[in-house]
């Protein structure tokens, strides 16, 4: 069984930066695609960053260049560094894991990440990011 627990959300001014973290438990978590989705009320969940077990990362078009995800295998911790925050980045951010498919498999043929939320087996409880 995999459990994901996020932390690091908060209120930040536009142009600022924020770091989200996700601690993962589970014997095989190191082999999974792990990443981040975000959701605004009444909108669909959007995948923004994914990282595979080999450390290769992929990003959605909306955040590439400003978001960086990294994973510490030893500590089972996933991070999302957000730079130059924009008002449209305000959302609930979820840590996710996919047990049977790589993150790179959701490359929408342009180098951007286009995952399907329904495919992801495991979700954290979410952490809120507010941008003023």
């Amino acid at each position: 069984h995999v459990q994901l627990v996020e932390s690091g959300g908060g209120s930040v001014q536009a142009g600022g930066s924020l770091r989200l973290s996700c601690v993962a438990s589970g014997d095989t978590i190191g082999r999974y695609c792990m990443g981040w989705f975000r959701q605004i009320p009444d909108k669909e969940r959007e995948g923004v960053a994914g990282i595979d077990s080999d450390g290769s990362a992929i990003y959605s078009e909306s955040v590439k260049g400003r978001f960086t995800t990294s994973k510490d295998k030893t500590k089972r911790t996933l991070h999302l560094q957000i730079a130059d925050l924009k008002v449209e980045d305000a959302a609930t951010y979820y840590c996710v894991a996919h047990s049977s498919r790589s993150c790179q498999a959701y490359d929408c043929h342009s180098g951007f990440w286009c995952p399907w939320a329904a495919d992801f087996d495991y979700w954290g409880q979410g952490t809120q990011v507010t941008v003023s």
Side-chain angles (χ1 to χ4, degrees), residues 2-132:
V2 173
Q3 187 174 16
L4 305 172
V5 180
E6 304 99 336
S7 62
S11 182
V12 184
Q13 288 188 336
S17 61
L18 196 65
R19 191 190 202 201
L20 308 181
S21 296
C22 170
V23 177
S25 62
D27 290 341
T28 58
I29 191 67
R31 300 201 298 264
Y32 292 3
C33 158
M34 294 188 69
W36 299 88
F37 276 71
R38 66 184 180 185
Q39 188 172 27
I40 302 167
D42 299 325
K43 295 280 184 75
E44 290 188 2
R45 292 183 177 184
E46 175 193 15
V48 294
I51 185 166
D52 280 315
S53 58
D54 64 357
S56 58
I58 187 168
Y59 302 91
S60 68
E61 186 172 8
S62 61
V63 307
K64 193 167 186 177
R66 298 189 299 115
F67 286 28
T68 303
T69 191
S70 59
K71 187 166 65 169
D72 182 333
K73 289 183 180 179
T74 302
K75 297 182 178 179
R76 298 172 176 266
T77 303
L78 182 70
H79 300 291
L80 182 68
Q81 183 71 40
I82 307 173
D84 188 23
L85 272 156
K86 303 180 184 302
V87 172
E88 54 264 37
D89 293 324
T92 299
Y93 283 75
Y94 297 91
C95 178
V96 298
H98 193 311
S99 61
S100 58
R101 203 175 187 195
S102 71
C103 293
Q104 295 292 333
Y106 294 98
D107 181 338
C108 44
H109 305 295
S110 56
F112 298 122
W113 203 40
C114 303
W116 298 328
D119 283 359
F120 284 75
D121 312 84
Y122 303 103
W123 292 74
Q125 81 286 355
T127 187
Q128 184 73 38
V129 173
T130 303
V131 183
S132 58

